[in-house]
Every structure is written in C-alpha cells, then in structure tokens.
Amino acid sequence: MRPSLKDLFNSSAKIIYLTRFKLQNASWSKTAQADAYDYRFNSLNNSDYYFRMPVIIQSDGLPWKIGNLYIMGQLDTPALSNMKTLSTRAIHLKYYLQYLEHSNQHFLDLPTQYQQRVPRKFRAFLQSVIEQHDFSAEYINTILSSIAHFYNYIQYQSLVSQSDIENKPFRERKVSIPTHNNVGLSRNISVITNDLKLKSSRKPIPSLGKLRDGGSLRPLSPEEQEIIFRAFDEDCASIELELMIRIALGTGARQQSVCTLSIACIKTALNYLERHPESDHAVINIGYRYKTDSKGGRLNRLIFTRNLIYRLATYIDCERAEYRRKNINSFYAETEDNYIFLTRTGNAYLTAERELIDRNNPKLIWNTKAPVMVPKNGQSLRNEIKRFIDKVQKLEPNLQDFSFHDLRATYGMNIVRSLRAKGYPDSKIFDHVRQRLNHRSLTTTEAYLKFDSEVKEFNDIQETFGITFDKGKYDV
C-alpha cells in the first residue's frame, strides 16, 4: 500500500482545528503593581467568526508561529473562497514543517549556494517521493505552490526581516500559457511562476474507461444504472441517498450542489411547474448569488424533470424529513432556507457557503440554540455510498465501485448516447453536453464525444491481438 505523505517524516507535527475563531486585538495596560501588565481583547471591525480554523502545531506541542501568522493572514484574502481552501494550504505547510523537523532545518536556511536552500531541498525530496512512491506530480505541485505562496506572503507582509531572507528561496520566471475563450478562440497569456514546480502534464491523461472532468471519472454503464435502480426498488438505499443519486443522474450536478440544495429552490421550481403545466422541466440556478453552491461559485443551471421535482417535494413534506429538520443540530430549523437533505442527526451532508455567513448573523426564525457548527465536507454521503455499493454487490457482482462524482460523467454520457441514437450530429451533441455540464474547456466536452469510440477501438485492437496470438501465428 502506498504510504501517506505524512508517514515519510520523522515528525509529529500536526494540525488541530478550532471550532470557532475570531480575529481580535490585544490591548495591554499597566496595573497598580510595579512591572505588571493586564490585557483585554477587542474584536476587529467587521470581523466574523471562522469555523474549523486550522492551527499548525510543532512536534514540541507549541504552535508554529510563522506558519500560523501566514494562515491568519489569508483570512482577509478575497481569492480564498472558503475554509476548505485554507485548510488545504495549512496541510501543505504542515508537510513542510514536518520536513523541516525531520531534516533539522529552519525555513530561513537560505545559503548562497542555490541548490542548498531549504525550499529547493524540499522540492528534491518530493521529486524522490514521486519516483519511489508513485505520488501524482500534479498533487506534489499543489504543495510546492503553497510553499511558494507562503514565502511570497511573509516577505510582502514583512513577517521576517529582509536581512533574514537575503537570498531568494526560489527563482521566478515568466511563462506563456495557451487559453481558450467561450467560443473556442485561443490566445496566450503571460504569468509569473517559479522554478519550484516539477515538470508534469497540466491535465494528466485519464486511464482507459475514464474521463477527465474535474477529476478522473468513470461513467457507469447502462447495465450498472439498471442495477442501481433495481436496488432502489429493493430498499437498499436510504431515501436521501436515492434522491441524491437521482438528482446527479438527472441533472449532472456535483456533490456540493446536490448537498446544498435548499427547500426554497424546490418550492420555487414546483410553483413554476404549477403555473406552466405545458412544461416538463424546471430550472434551478446555482452558484454565486444563489443558495446552492457550485464549483468555484460559478453560475450554472440545473434542469430538473417534473417527475424529479414532484419526488423531492413529496420528500420535503414527509415525516422523516420534518423529524430531521427539528433536530437540535439543524440550524435552519423548519424554514425553507434549510437543506433538502439532512443526516439523521440533523446535520448537513455538506456545509453550504451561505451557512458560514448566516451563522454570524442568525435570524430569529432559525435555530439560534443549535450547537457550534463543525463544517461538513460530504463524508457522510461518501460513507452512505460505500455501504450501498457493498450491499448491492452481494446481489449484483457486476456493479463496480463508483464515486458520487462518477454520476456526473454518467449523466454526460447518457446525453451523448441518447442523442446519437436519435440521429443528432456531433456538433449539436457537443453544444448540448457543454451547456448541461457547464464546461469551460472545449477539450473536456470533446472527451465525452470520443469516449465510446476510444474504448471500442482499444477493445477491438485487444481482441484482434488476442485472436492472433491464440492461433499461434507468431510461434517459432
């Protein structure tokens, strides 16, 4: 089994998470006693609470001062979309601290000889990790990018003196990157990068039978989809999991969108269908400005069938859903702001961006007595899918393991196969898939149209060679 990156260091540095964190000023004042001082904390203007704040702890049990100053400084960065991003950067810095402790070095060990500077030595260490343990170069480069950002920030904010960082930790370089706009025209843009990054493909080629679409995805075959729907009839899945899978297969929505759909979204869609009996679908907008999250906050439309909206409306009004909304952990309580899907303990499957904001300014109609929030990252849903697959595979061995994100690729391939069966040209299918899945990259959409033919071509070649060698044509 491939080791975890943290297992490669002789260091017990770690990350702890503060349930709730708020930036404050400490004011010091002299007391009546000689050489004695007192202090008090004052909240900064417009400072909100941050939930699940990461703190980097050294092996000696003390906080890593410079690393945590960097983390706190990122709280005011507009480009930092959520605490998950901050946590990821903290984890990358923790790896760096573990390396420093393991090799008995300091982050300011920057001698004259360039290759002996500690960021370069860390890069060389991670290069060997790729070669020896088969880590992804793409993943290692995200770690190195965080380290580069750390050094740039502490210099820019003067968190270290210029004399301490006289030699540059790495070299910057300008590169030209080709980009495509919405109509497919390409142009090159110049960006500043650094020489810490390892050479790798920016978009690794997925293995056969998989698509590259926000990850390496495996579209489920029509037979596997039939197995899943039969399993629903046999009550192998909870009603929550069944409906979430139906949404993903019916709209192509990502996990973050499915888990953060609000009751109000479905009620609005239901009202639309009642006013327009001729329509067989309703649109739910997601992303920036809307209650439902999307990847990177990008605006997008999810198209729900009338039947799916009716299923969801029925679930919202059922006793099981009402019971979950009444749980003490349910922050939005019995309001339409609440999530459609809650766990049996009343928690969200995945915490929406809007809840992080609403927790700082709660309305009286919400559950103000709800416990302090521990942001959810979708692990409950992943656990449910795993239990569902294990249960079904005992009856249907042909069902392979799949992730929730694989359902998005399945939706895309269902569109391609359905429209091709109806005789639509690939140009029309391309436009339809791109709009439904909200692709930025034309290459990503093209992969859906090529998927079946590439798999068939590979299988045909393998079959041809198999027949040839079985006949012993090349025996000597």
Side-chain angles (χ1 to χ4, degrees):
M1 181 183 295
R2 188 183 72 184
S4 171
L5 192 56
K6 63 182 176 62
D7 298 330
L8 303 179
F9 305 107
N10 182 21
S11 165
S12 57
K14 62 183 180 181
I15 289 180
I16 63 172
Y17 290 91
L18 304 180
T19 304
R20 195 162 68 161
F21 175 81
K22 191 172 188 177
L23 289 170
Q24 294 182 316
N25 280 327
S27 301
W28 296 82
S29 59
K30 232 179 162 150
T31 65
Q33 298 179 356
D35 299 326
Y37 293 84
D38 196 4
Y39 67 90
R40 61 190 179 89
F41 290 111
N42 298 309
S43 296
L44 299 176
N45 292 333
N46 301 320
S47 177
D48 290 332
Y49 281 107
Y50 297 94
F51 300 95
R52 208 164 184 269
M53 175 71 180
V55 179
I56 307 172
I57 304 296
Q58 300 171 162
S59 290
D60 60 8
L62 297 175
W64 187 32
K65 183 178 178 180
I66 189 67
N68 290 312
L69 284 174
Y70 165 79
I71 294 297
M72 286 190 290
Q74 302 308 295
L75 293 174
D76 293 328
T77 305
L80 199 67
S81 60
N82 52 46
M83 294 301 288
K84 183 178 179 181
T85 306
L86 186 66
S87 179
T88 299
R89 287 189 179 175
I91 291 170
H92 294 167
L93 273 184
K94 183 210 64 170
Y95 291 145
Y96 191 43
L97 174 61
Q98 287 181 308
Y99 170 76
L100 295 175
E101 293 184 342
H102 174 83
S103 56
N104 195 27
Q105 297 180 89
H106 191 274
F107 75 95
L108 290 178
D109 285 345
L110 304 169
T112 303
Q113 188 175 350
Y114 185 60
Q115 295 300 330
Q116 292 302 310
R117 297 174 193 176
V118 65
R120 294 291 303 177
K121 293 167 76 173
F122 183 55
R123 177 189 186 274
F125 173 83
L126 292 180
Q127 176 74 67
S128 68
V129 164
I130 293 176
E131 296 168 356
Q132 297 174 19
H133 301 289
D134 196 30
F135 279 85
S136 159
E138 187 180 32
Y139 172 63
I140 294 300
N141 274 336
T142 62
I143 297 174
L144 291 170
S145 292
S146 294
I147 304 309
H149 192 273
F150 161 73
Y151 276 103
N152 285 334
Y153 181 83
I154 64 175
Q155 290 180 82
Y156 180 76
Q157 296 292 339
S158 300
L159 298 181
V160 292
S161 65
Q162 195 59 41
S163 59
D164 288 334
I165 201 163
E166 184 175 352
N167 295 318
K168 293 183 178 181
F170 49 82
R171 293 170 181 158
E172 293 185 339
R173 56 194 178 96
K174 181 182 283 190
V175 297
S176 183
I177 298 177
T179 62
H180 295 84
N181 62 16
N182 291 334
V183 295
L185 297 178
S186 64
R187 68 185 181 93
N188 291 332
I189 59 172
S190 295
V191 298
I192 301 296
T193 183
N194 59 74
D195 63 355
L196 284 185
K197 283 193 173 184
L198 303 171
K199 289 184 178 181
S200 68
S201 171
R202 294 182 68 244
K203 292 187 177 180
I205 300 174
S207 57
L208 186 74
K210 293 193 174 183
L211 286 161
R212 192 78 186 174
D213 185 358
S216 186
L217 309 183
R218 182 185 74 84
L220 276 64
S221 68
E223 293 74 21
E224 287 180 297
Q225 295 175 63
E226 290 177 5
I227 290 173
I228 288 174
F229 288 118
R230 285 201 300 268
F232 291 162
D233 293 336
E234 297 296 326
D235 294 328
C236 292
S238 69
I239 185 60
E240 290 80 18
L241 179 60
E242 176 183 341
L243 289 173
M244 284 191 274
I245 290 177
R246 287 185 182 276
I247 292 173
L249 287 175
T251 69
R254 292 181 170 88
Q255 174 181 286
Q256 66 204 102
S257 300
V258 175
C259 291
T260 57
L261 278 167
S262 70
I263 294 173
C265 293
I266 303 305
K267 292 290 181 71
T268 301
L270 186 62
N271 289 336
Y272 170 83
L273 292 173
E274 289 175 349
R275 296 195 312 271
H276 299 82
E278 75 286 355
S279 178
D280 60 357
H281 67 268
V283 172
I284 293 180
N285 294 307
I286 65 173
Y288 178 68
R289 294 203 322 261
Y290 296 103
K291 292 181 180 294
T292 304
D293 289 352
S294 67
K295 183 180 179 180
R298 290 174 57 196
L299 292 174
N300 194 11
R301 303 185 312 155
L302 299 178
I303 302 176
F304 286 71
T305 64
R306 179 180 288 270
N307 181 54
L308 184 52
I309 291 295
Y310 284 169
R311 283 177 180 265
L312 293 170
T314 300
Y315 171 76
I316 288 169
D317 291 335
C318 77
E319 184 177 340
R320 178 186 174 101
E322 290 177 357
Y323 176 81
R324 296 188 175 204
R325 291 196 293 269
K326 290 177 181 178
N327 192 292
I328 186 64
N329 292 315
S330 177
F331 174 67
Y332 289 112
E334 284 292 299
T335 68
E336 292 187 358
D337 296 311
N338 213 335
Y339 304 90
I340 298 174
F341 305 113
L342 297 172
T343 66
R344 56 185 175 80
T345 57
N347 288 301
Y349 280 89
L350 191 150
T351 304
E353 290 294 310
R354 59 189 172 90
E355 184 176 352
L356 297 176
I357 298 171
D358 292 341
R359 286 269 184 168
N360 284 296
N361 300 286
K363 297 178 182 178
L364 293 178
I365 57 174
W366 297 334
N367 179 18
T368 55
K369 295 181 180 179
V372 173
M373 179 184 65
V374 177
K376 305 301 179 183
N377 62 4
Q379 187 59 48
S380 295
L381 175 55
R382 289 188 285 274
N383 292 340
E384 280 202 43
I385 289 178
K386 180 66 168 61
R387 289 193 295 269
F388 170 70
I389 293 173
D390 289 344
K391 185 184 296 186
V392 176
Q393 284 177 338
K394 293 177 182 178
L395 304 172
E396 302 273 6
N398 290 333
L399 177 67
Q400 299 180 41
D401 290 347
F402 65 89
S403 70
F404 195 86
H405 204 23
D406 288 337
L407 303 176
R408 172 176 168 82
T410 307
Y411 169 76
M413 286 309 305
N414 285 346
I415 293 175
V416 172
R417 291 163 181 160
S418 174
L419 295 184
R420 274 185 176 156
K422 294 178 180 179
Y424 281 83
D426 276 6
S427 58
K428 290 290 185 181
I429 299 174
F430 179 91
D431 290 340
H432 201 63
V433 172
R434 187 166 181 236
Q435 290 174 13
R436 288 294 186 105
L437 294 180
N438 198 29
H439 287 153
R440 281 185 173 178
S441 169
L442 302 178
T443 304
T444 302
T445 309
E446 288 171 353
Y448 279 85
L449 274 70
K450 295 177 180 177
F451 180 81
D452 280 342
S453 60
E454 289 181 347
V455 171
K456 184 178 184 304
E457 180 180 306
F458 176 84
N459 290 336
D460 287 346
I461 293 172
Q462 290 298 103
E463 184 179 351
T464 300
F465 274 97
I467 293 173
T468 300
F469 286 112
D470 284 345
K471 289 181 177 179
K473 183 176 181 179
Y474 298 107
D475 290 343
V476 294

